[in-house]
Amino acid sequence: MTVHIAPEAVELLLIRLPLVEPFETSFGRTDVREILLVRVLQDGCEGWGECVTDHAPLYSSECNGTARYVMETFLIPALFGGPLRRVSDWPRRVAFVKGHPMAKAALEMALWDLYGQMVGRSLRDLWGGTKDLVPAGVSVGIHPDVPSLLRTVERYRAEGYQRVKLKIKPGRDHEVLAAVRRAFPDALLTADANAAYRWPRDRAVLVSMDAYRLQMLEQPFPPDDWLGHARLQRALQTPICLDESVTSLATLRLALRLRAGQVINIKPGRVGGYTVARRIHDVCRRRGVPVWCGGMLETGIGRAANVALASLPGFVLPNDLSASRRYWVEDIVEPPFELQPGGYLAVPTGPGLGVRVVRTRLPVQWSQTYRRDGEIRK
Ligand code: NPQ
Ligand code: MG
């Protein structure tokens, strides 16, 4: 008997979760995450999803407000439009909505969890994951001064993270990279600019970063600056990793054809969900392009799905997957993610996401339930 996906209700919940410490990137500083969660219900089973948008469109063009609007006006009605034979049919079902990949991905995550619960299989199992443990890296925000940054890096290295990613921006780059490399000569280091540099203005500043022996330099230029990335890569020994630029299979192929980068950061939210993320993984694996799983300051919900994705064989580099306590005083799932010896996270083996959402821990700001038979309940 085949199980069709046809939820009778969808609940959206907006929560406010304070970070353990503020996180600063080239686009801004966050101390509280405002997170839109999705819960789908069918035949006594539930599935949870997490939307990786923030309160404002700083990382990309989406934010919590656009995601909520698009979900309630277009995506949830499309889900109620008829059963899905497979969760992987979701991208085609919602292809009529242009853009809004994070909103689509959040609903897809909930559908994967629901489906896993209904058939009693883990996401790792459903997706063909091959690992029990995935290598954990940590992303370190821009700090007010170098000594405090060095203390933070020291702490994470002592905890066992396999690599440290340093957030940089123009004017806060060489000083930071030189100090960390000097203090940790053998550390696996990367740097992420979140698109803060410009080609050709910043050519010299970036080319001289080869001196720090970074494993990669992530997204120096804006997402659509394909030629800038390609030209920089020709002048730079350090591999460029693309994050914001890779939004689809088509942009992945463009990146590889132009040699705009040698490494791909896969974030399911950025590419419209786990089905597309897996296809991007498959193409990269066939072509020998190393990938790793990016992070968006997820709770244990999104983290569980990302850990399952990172268990696929092409994820060969340390991921932006850290322990729950890196971000949260108390995660909203049980059990929380903990760093394992050697710097790994364990891939959940239970059905679906393999973690339980603790509803009493959700600091709910707003919620609404949408029903297949039409009624909306506050
Ligand atoms: C990146 N993440 O790789 C992102 C960017 C990022 C872990 O470095 C709120 C919501 C704050 C989303 C900060 C990491 C964020 C965010 C950074 C995404 O580029
Ligand atoms: Mg990035």
Side-chain angles (χ1 to χ4, degrees):
M1 199 199 82
T2 52
V3 178
H4 286 210
I5 299 117
E8 55 253 8
V10 177
E11 185 179 12
L12 297 184
L13 307 94
L14 186 70
I15 63 168
R16 260 177 77 85
L17 217 53
L19 291 168
V20 167
E21 56 197 13
F23 190 73
E24 185 172 335
T25 66
S26 63
F27 57 78
R29 188 182 160 92
T30 313
D31 44 27
V32 182
R33 275 292 266 126
E34 190 185 273
I35 303 171
L36 194 55
L37 300 178
V38 181
R39 181 172 160 260
V40 295
L41 300 168
Q42 180 177 341
D43 305 329
C45 291
E46 67 175 13
W48 284 90
E50 172 172 351
C51 189
V52 299
T53 47
D54 200 2
H55 69 280
L58 306 178
Y59 166 83
S60 69
S61 63
E62 289 179 275
C63 62
N64 290 334
T66 65
R68 184 191 64 80
Y69 177 78
V70 168
M71 283 192 224
E72 76 176 13
T73 311
F74 302 107
L75 304 179
I76 295 170
L79 179 59
F80 290 154
L84 290 166
R85 286 189 50 242
R86 294 182 294 255
V87 182
S88 56
D89 291 337
W90 177 246
R92 250 167 305 162
R93 173 68 64 90
V94 295
F96 74 98
V97 174
K98 306 307 186 297
H100 303 282
M102 294 176 180
K104 293 169 179 173
L107 273 157
E108 199 193 302
M109 191 194 303
L111 296 176
W112 279 114
D113 184 28
L114 174 70
Y115 181 72
Q117 301 293 336
M118 292 195 299
V119 300
R121 294 173 64 189
S122 67
L123 298 188
R124 178 190 117 150
D125 186 24
L126 292 172
W127 294 342
T130 53
K131 296 174 236 165
D132 300 322
L133 296 167
V134 298
V138 65
S139 178
V140 175
I142 295 169
H143 276 53
D145 56 84
V146 168
S148 72
L149 172 66
L150 293 178
R151 285 195 298 275
T152 300
V153 173
E154 172 56 39
R155 175 160 52 89
Y156 289 137
R157 281 178 50 76
E159 288 178 22
Y161 286 103
Q162 294 191 19
R163 73 96 170 101
V164 172
K165 170 165 122 180
L166 303 165
K167 291 290 190 176
I168 57 168
K169 66 177 181 182
R172 309 225 43 144
D173 40 29
H174 279 272
E175 188 196 13
V176 160
L177 296 171
V180 175
R181 176 50 82 206
R182 192 180 148 87
F184 307 97
D186 303 320
L188 189 53
L189 298 177
T190 74
D192 186 359
N194 286 111
Y197 293 86
R198 293 297 174 267
W199 181 268
R201 183 190 75 190
D202 297 315
R203 182 183 197 280
V205 172
L206 294 165
V207 168
S208 54
M209 287 182 191
D210 273 339
Y212 308 118
R213 294 176 286 115
L214 302 175
Q215 187 192 35
M216 65 190 84
L217 172 64
E218 186 175 340
Q219 197 72 37
F221 304 131
D224 60 355
D225 193 2
W226 298 102
L227 296 179
H229 285 106
R231 286 175 178 146
L232 176 64
Q233 185 67 93
R234 290 170 72 107
L236 194 69
Q237 293 289 310
T238 307
I240 291 175
C241 170
L242 295 175
D243 174 353
E244 286 90 329
S245 288
V246 176
T247 55
S248 61
L249 270 170
T251 47
L252 170 71
R253 292 195 188 101
L254 180 62
L256 300 181
R257 173 62 64 91
L258 290 176
R259 298 186 199 278
Q262 302 179 19
V263 178
I264 305 296
N265 166 336
I266 299 183
K267 285 178 181 167
R270 193 192 64 226
V271 303
Y274 289 83
T275 298
V276 177
R278 288 164 64 207
R279 290 196 188 121
I280 289 174
H281 157 274
D282 295 347
V283 170
C284 288
R285 185 164 184 242
R286 269 202 300 278
R287 302 202 194 177
V289 175
V291 309
W292 54 281
C293 184
M296 293 290 281
L297 282 53
E298 290 90 349
T299 71
I301 296 174
R303 197 167 303 277
N306 284 352
V307 165
L309 182 70
S311 76
L312 271 63
F315 286 82
V316 295
L317 299 171
N319 305 283
D320 270 353
L321 291 169
S322 306
S324 295
R325 54 169 278 204
R326 154 72 183 87
Y327 291 111
W328 318 113
V329 173
E330 187 177 53
D331 205 336
I332 61 172
V333 304
E334 281 292 339
F337 286 90
E338 287 173 358
L339 200 60
Q340 305 298 312
Y344 295 90
L345 294 188
V347 183
T349 55
L353 294 170
V355 292
R356 279 182 302 109
V357 176
V358 184
R359 266 205 90 127
T360 54
R361 283 188 204 156
L362 300 183
V364 178
Q365 302 292 297
W366 170 91
S367 75
Q368 186 140 315
T369 299
Y370 307 82
R371 290 172 197 288
R372 192 170 50 200
D373 49 33
E375 181 195 352
I376 293 176
R377 180 174 302 183
K378 252 247 169 258

